[in-house]
Amino acid sequence: MQSIDVRNMLNAIITLTTDFGLKDPYVAEMKAVILGINPDAKIVDISHNIEKFNIRMGAYVLAAAAQHFPKNTIHLAVVDPGVGTKRKAILIETEKAYFVGPDNGILALAAEKQGLKRVHKLSNRKFMLPEISATFHGRDIFAPAAAFLSKGVSPSEFGPVIRRIVKPKFAEVTRKNNILIGEVIHVDDFGNIITNITSKDLEELRLKLAKNVKLKLKDAWLKVRLCSAYAEAKAKTPIGIIGSHDFLEISINMGNAAEIFQVKTGDKVTVYRY
Amino acid sequence: MQSIDVRNMLNAIITLTTDFGLKDPYVAEMKAVILGINPDAKIVDISHNIEKFNIRMGAYVLAAAAQHFPKNTIHLAVVDPGVGTKRKAILIETEKAYFVGPDNGILALAAEKQGLKRVHKLSNRKFMLPEISATFHGRDIFAPAAAFLSKGVSPSEFGPVIRRIVKPKFAEVTRKNNILIGEVIHVDDFGNIITNITSKDLEELRLKLAKNVKLKLKDAWLKVRLCSAYAEAKAKTPIGIIGSHDFLEISINMGNAAEIFQVKTGDKVTVYRY
Amino acid sequence: MQSIDVRNMLNAIITLTTDFGLKDPYVAEMKAVILGINPDAKIVDISHNIEKFNIRMGAYVLAAAAQHFPKNTIHLAVVDPGVGTKRKAILIETEKAYFVGPDNGILALAAEKQGLKRVHKLSNRKFMLPEISATFHGRDIFAPAAAFLSKGVSPSEFGPVIRRIVKPKFAEVTRKNNILIGEVIHVDDFGNIITNITSKDLEELRLKLAKNVKLKLKDAWLKVRLCSAYAEAKAKTPIGIIGSHDFLEISINMGNAAEIFQVKTGDKVTVYRY
């Protein structure tokens, strides 16, 4: 039996994460569709500046932000190079929230972090716009789904349960003796280089705050101190820091680390204890 | 007799379209003025990244987004190179919505699409800020007008009806035998080249999905397939697509068509049937 | 005795001004924290494109926007190169509004303009997130403070009153005989060069509209007319204008003055009467 839906529909929050940029009408069209269906929806932008077609970056940014939103928030994410093909449209229920978007990995990282409960395929035409373009499912399928969900439509009404979803391909951190091998998962607007190496990974190497570590970052060798605040380091000196999302970041106080070391998402990072 | 205004004032949506960019205080000043007059207004950004002074681009973006908003939405648009001169400030009523801004063409495309009903000159000082700068009518005249309108002030109270408005200069599509001549009206953030040629224009040339067409795009000759989804084409191959706003777009799956063909707004596009 | 707090908590506005940019999850994380504490808060972005670490620019943009917001607005600003060090976290009460952020000058300009009443140190852990990172006080300390304040928590509950705050270092305008010496305080997205010279400063030199003035702008000598609207000048001609914030701006109608004169924030401006 389907459990009764006890969401409080007042103040339903719908977040948006896309690679649409902020110049075009596209983001506003999605908001227009949402507000047409649920005038009381509170829409919060996470980011519309995900790199075009970069599903991994979208997955990372969504996962970083989603964990801070209140219970029952609906997260709508569209980085969708496969729009108009047979990739599925899905709705994920987690212990805490809802995720709506294409089944290409963009939702999986955030959803798994929150405890995945059930996934529905979006197939019920009743909850889509009457005309569906082949190029803009964000507006025609995902925005209406999020809006109807925010009005209390039960997830099971959107379509059948499916068992498997696509996951974004992030490298796992590997450890060999005194070495951790990971990769750059995001470069932020400050130029901070965010890796997939967590504080737990560093602890297993008995690396902790105030220690120096040796790093290979793409082609450059660095020796950095593990700090807890950017300003602990001298200006223009690279440091290692456990950032606000519990990942190892390579930063330069008052400078742009990614520019200086010419690093981008996907580049390899090796940490040595010595 | 003036018809009674039966707008439902709860959840009044006010959209904003400007060329102000997102770095400066200007957009927030407009929002501050609106919320000072109507604390319940729901403000939705359409775009603040219209190219500086590019009225045609503003008109296109506003028209593309406006059609999706609910009835009685108030659209405020400010791309206003003539601010402080004798260009008029206007309020347009359409069958569906309201448009507020300078009379320079920025509003006309969207308003005509919705069925133009009446145009008022904004001349009543009661609905402007007490002090009016010569450089920022967005804040001092248009924002208060939109806010008072959202509170239920009747359009006729803002000023006299006027008969003529300025229209943006878009080329008409012309047809000669087996040739359509149009122009680029927008280049989006993905590099999709959006032309003013509609699906109806193509049908008149008996061009339809899955057909190949020959195109001249600025100086380049192309043969493209008319597709319905970006991902139907091989990566990096140019295609023709009827986009989500019913215009012919030239796109490159997973690539930036405008960069590759060095095309910008206003460039000529010719379509040949062969 | 502490005065009773009579703020009307409905429609509390919280504004955000940061140097975080719009690509990353950071701004959304702050909004998530705010809405988790006060689901009814109305969040308005002032700017997230303050130049990284540029406290003076943040102070200018916040001051320009803040004056237009309704009474009791809460302004949260985070340009915070010293995050994680011993710089204080503060809450300022003014005659009109509240300001929350680091004590590094970012808040002072706007707060003093509104009549500074009292400053509290944010030290009460009850109004912070349970875990406080050393790198993101915007999310962990300032966002919760603004949100609790918007729910009616009295400023005195956040921490003790402090007597002195850090002020941003803006040059004063100096006058020698027929010369005014000031500096560039902001370059806006149109390329308008905004100086710290006010209309009052110009009046003291008996300079007024329609007069010509001689200017030295960094290394360039200019003769400009003092205009009241951009469009009064011929296209591509530099003019002086008293902008919408009552500062002397050097602008080029339909052009980018800052690019042409290669001027940036902090550069010297000298005005001569002749």
Side-chain angles (χ1 to χ4, degrees):
Chain A
M1 205 192 90
Q2 180 68 25
S3 67
I4 289 158
D5 201 302
V6 294
R7 277 171 286 154
N8 180 353
M9 288 310 124
L10 295 171
N11 289 305
I13 297 172
I14 297 175
T15 77
L16 302 182
T17 305
T18 77
D19 62 352
F20 294 168
L22 291 169
K23 171 175 107 171
D24 297 309
Y26 307 137
V27 172
E29 290 177 57
M30 291 177 64
K31 293 181 181 179
V33 168
I34 291 169
L35 293 171
I37 294 165
N38 183 1
D40 295 319
K42 254 185 206 290
I43 303 171
V44 178
D45 298 308
I46 289 180
S47 175
H48 299 292
N49 293 338
I50 304 300
E51 279 172 34
K52 303 293 179 220
F53 315 126
N54 190 337
I55 293 167
R56 284 160 44 116
M57 176 180 165
Y60 168 75
V61 168
L62 176 59
Q67 59 184 323
H68 297 285
F69 278 87
K71 212 167 151 58
N72 290 329
T73 293
I74 296 162
H75 301 285
L76 171 42
V78 192
V79 175
D80 196 12
V83 63
T85 63
K86 63 187 166 51
R87 69 98 189 87
K88 292 190 199 80
I90 56 172
L91 185 172
I92 306 177
E93 294 178 76
T94 71
E95 296 298 334
K96 194 179 167 193
Y98 301 87
F99 294 86
V100 171
D103 180 26
N104 61 15
I106 178 88
L107 309 175
L109 191 67
E112 293 202 326
K113 225 169 165 173
Q114 299 193 350
L116 212 142
K117 272 169 64 184
R118 231 185 326 267
V119 184
H120 293 267
K121 195 178 158 184
L122 298 174
S123 57
N124 189 343
R125 290 290 299 239
K126 212 171 106 185
F127 304 119
M128 302 178 187
L129 291 197
E131 276 183 62
I132 296 168
S133 72
T135 55
F136 196 0
H137 289 186
R139 179 191 67 195
D140 303 337
I141 295 178
F142 302 124
F148 281 112
L149 190 62
S150 77
K151 287 185 78 175
V153 172
S154 170
S156 62
E157 293 194 50
F158 289 89
V161 168
I162 57 174
R163 299 287 164 201
R164 213 169 280 172
I165 61 170
V166 174
K167 291 176 193 183
K169 287 177 203 75
F170 286 107
E172 303 260 304
V173 175
T174 57
R175 184 182 153 192
K176 291 184 201 168
N177 305 317
N178 285 341
I179 298 176
L180 290 170
I181 301 168
E183 66 167 23
V184 174
I185 54 172
H186 183 59
V187 170
D188 80 9
D189 209 40
F190 290 87
N192 297 317
I193 298 163
I194 297 159
T195 74
N196 63 343
I197 297 168
T198 63
S199 60
K200 200 159 151 276
D201 294 325
L202 292 172
E203 275 161 29
E204 284 176 13
L205 226 68
R206 276 168 293 141
L207 288 168
K208 56 186 184 191
L209 282 182
K211 287 264 180 187
N212 288 320
V213 298
K214 211 164 74 179
L215 282 172
K216 195 172 179 203
L217 194 56
K218 213 180 158 193
D219 305 316
W221 287 94
L222 304 178
K223 202 173 78 178
V224 302
R225 196 160 175 268
L226 289 179
C227 298
S228 66
Y230 300 120
E232 273 177 44
K234 293 194 201 90
K236 311 295 177 196
T237 305
I239 56 168
I241 206 161
I242 296 297
S244 62
H245 302 100
D246 199 42
F247 290 120
L248 174 67
E249 297 179 21
I250 316 303
S251 302
I252 291 181
N253 185 26
M254 305 293 285
N256 189 311
E259 251 174 54
I260 288 167
F261 297 115
Q262 293 284 306
V263 165
K264 62 181 196 317
T265 303
D267 286 342
K268 208 166 107 176
V269 182
T270 317
V271 176
Y272 300 80
R273 185 161 67 89
Y274 71 114
Chain B
M1 205 192 90
Q2 179 69 23
S3 66
I4 289 157
D5 200 303
V6 292
R7 279 170 286 154
N8 180 353
M9 288 310 126
L10 294 172
N11 289 306
I13 297 172
I14 298 175
T15 78
L16 303 182
T17 304
T18 76
D19 62 352
F20 295 169
L22 290 170
K23 173 175 107 172
D24 297 309
Y26 307 137
V27 172
E29 291 177 56
M30 291 177 64
K31 294 181 180 179
V33 167
I34 290 169
L35 293 172
I37 293 166
N38 183 1
D40 295 320
K42 254 185 207 291
I43 303 171
V44 178
D45 298 308
I46 289 180
S47 175
H48 299 293
N49 293 338
I50 303 301
E51 280 172 33
K52 303 293 179 218
F53 315 126
N54 191 337
I55 291 166
R56 284 161 46 116
M57 175 179 166
Y60 169 75
V61 169
L62 176 60
Q67 60 184 323
H68 298 283
F69 279 87
K71 211 168 150 57
N72 291 328
T73 293
I74 297 161
H75 301 285
L76 170 43
V78 192
V79 175
D80 196 11
V83 62
T85 64
K86 63 188 164 51
R87 70 96 189 88
K88 292 191 201 78
I90 57 173
L91 185 172
I92 305 177
E93 294 177 77
T94 72
E95 296 298 333
K96 195 181 167 191
Y98 301 87
F99 293 85
V100 171
D103 180 26
N104 61 15
I106 178 88
L107 309 175
L109 192 66
E112 294 202 326
K113 224 169 166 173
Q114 299 193 351
L116 212 141
K117 273 170 63 185
R118 231 187 325 269
V119 184
H120 293 268
K121 194 178 159 186
L122 297 175
S123 57
N124 189 342
R125 291 290 298 238
K126 211 171 105 184
F127 303 119
M128 302 177 186
L129 290 198
E131 277 183 60
I132 296 167
S133 72
T135 55
F136 196 1
H137 289 187
R139 179 191 65 196
D140 303 338
I141 294 177
F142 302 123
F148 281 112
L149 190 62
S150 77
K151 288 185 76 174
V153 171
S154 172
S156 62
E157 293 193 49
F158 289 89
V161 167
I162 58 176
R163 299 288 163 202
R164 211 168 281 172
I165 60 170
V166 174
K167 290 177 193 182
K169 288 179 202 73
F170 286 106
E172 303 260 306
V173 176
T174 58
R175 185 184 150 190
K176 292 184 199 165
N177 305 318
N178 286 340
I179 298 175
L180 290 171
I181 301 168
E183 65 167 24
V184 175
I185 54 171
H186 183 59
V187 170
D188 80 7
D189 209 40
F190 290 86
N192 296 317
I193 298 163
I194 298 159
T195 74
N196 62 342
I197 297 168
T198 64
S199 60
K200 202 162 149 274
D201 294 325
L202 292 171
E203 275 162 30
E204 285 175 11
L205 226 66
R206 278 170 291 143
L207 288 168
K208 55 185 185 191
L209 282 182
K211 289 264 181 190
N212 288 321
V213 299
K214 211 165 73 178
L215 281 172
K216 195 172 179 204
L217 193 57
K218 214 180 157 191
D219 305 317
W221 286 95
L222 304 179
K223 203 172 76 177
V224 302
R225 195 160 176 270
L226 289 177
C227 298
S228 66
Y230 300 121
E232 272 178 46
K234 293 197 202 88
K236 312 295 178 196
T237 305
I239 55 170
I241 205 158
I242 296 297
S244 60
H245 303 100
D246 199 42
F247 291 120
L248 174 67
E249 297 178 21
I250 316 302
S251 302
I252 291 182
N253 185 23
M254 305 292 287
N256 189 311
E259 253 173 51
I260 288 166
F261 298 115
Q262 292 285 309
V263 164
K264 61 180 198 316
T265 303
D267 286 344
K268 208 166 106 175
V269 182
T270 318
V271 176
Y272 299 80
R273 186 160 66 90
Y274 70 112
Chain C
M1 205 191 90
Q2 179 68 24
S3 66
I4 289 157
D5 200 303
V6 292
R7 278 172 286 155
N8 181 353
M9 289 311 124
L10 295 172
N11 289 305
I13 297 171
I14 297 175
T15 77
L16 302 182
T17 305
T18 76
D19 61 353
F20 295 169
L22 291 169
K23 173 175 105 172
D24 297 308
Y26 308 137
V27 172
E29 291 178 55
M30 290 177 64
K31 293 181 180 178
V33 168
I34 291 169
L35 293 171
I37 294 166
N38 184 1
D40 295 320
K42 254 185 205 290
I43 301 172
V44 178
D45 297 308
I46 290 180
S47 174
H48 299 292
N49 292 338
I50 303 300
E51 279 171 34
K52 303 295 179 217
F53 316 126
N54 190 337
I55 292 167
R56 284 160 46 116
M57 174 181 167
Y60 168 76
V61 169
L62 176 59
Q67 59 184 322
H68 298 284
F69 278 87
K71 211 167 152 59
N72 291 329
T73 293
I74 296 162
H75 301 286
L76 170 43
V78 191
V79 176
D80 196 12
V83 62
T85 64
K86 64 189 166 47
R87 69 99 189 86
K88 292 189 199 82
I90 57 173
L91 186 173
I92 306 177
E93 294 178 77
T94 71
E95 296 298 332
K96 194 180 167 194
Y98 301 87
F99 294 86
V100 171
D103 180 27
N104 62 14
I106 179 88
L107 309 175
L109 192 67
E112 293 201 327
K113 225 168 164 174
Q114 299 194 350
L116 212 142
K117 270 170 64 184
R118 232 186 325 268
V119 184
H120 293 267
K121 194 177 159 184
L122 297 175
S123 57
N124 190 342
R125 290 289 300 237
K126 212 171 105 185
F127 304 118
M128 302 178 187
L129 290 198
E131 275 183 61
I132 297 166
S133 73
T135 55
F136 196 0
H137 289 186
R139 179 191 66 195
D140 303 337
I141 294 177
F142 301 125
F148 281 112
L149 191 62
S150 76
K151 288 186 76 174
V153 171
S154 170
S156 63
E157 292 194 50
F158 289 89
V161 168
I162 58 174
R163 299 289 164 200
R164 213 169 280 172
I165 60 169
V166 174
K167 292 177 191 181
K169 286 178 203 74
F170 286 106
E172 303 260 304
V173 175
T174 57
R175 185 183 152 192
K176 290 185 201 168
N177 305 316
N178 285 342
I179 300 176
L180 288 171
I181 301 168
E183 66 167 22
V184 174
I185 54 170
H186 183 59
V187 170
D188 79 10
D189 209 41
F190 290 87
N192 296 316
I193 298 163
I194 298 160
T195 73
N196 63 341
I197 297 168
T198 63
S199 60
K200 201 160 151 276
D201 294 325
L202 291 172
E203 276 162 29
E204 284 176 13
L205 225 67
R206 277 170 292 143
L207 288 168
K208 56 185 184 192
L209 282 182
K211 288 266 181 188
N212 287 322
V213 298
K214 211 164 75 179
L215 279 172
K216 195 171 178 205
L217 194 57
K218 214 179 155 194
D219 304 316
W221 287 95
L222 305 178
K223 202 170 77 176
V224 302
R225 195 158 176 270
L226 289 178
C227 298
S228 66
Y230 300 120
E232 273 178 43
K234 292 194 201 90
K236 312 294 177 196
T237 305
I239 55 168
I241 205 160
I242 296 296
S244 62
H245 302 101
D246 199 43
F247 290 119
L248 174 67
E249 296 179 21
I250 315 303
S251 302
I252 292 180
N253 185 23
M254 305 293 286
N256 188 310
E259 253 174 53
I260 288 167
F261 298 116
Q262 292 285 307
V263 164
K264 61 179 198 319
T265 304
D267 285 344
K268 210 166 108 174
V269 182
T270 316
V271 175
Y272 299 80
R273 185 160 68 89
Y274 71 112

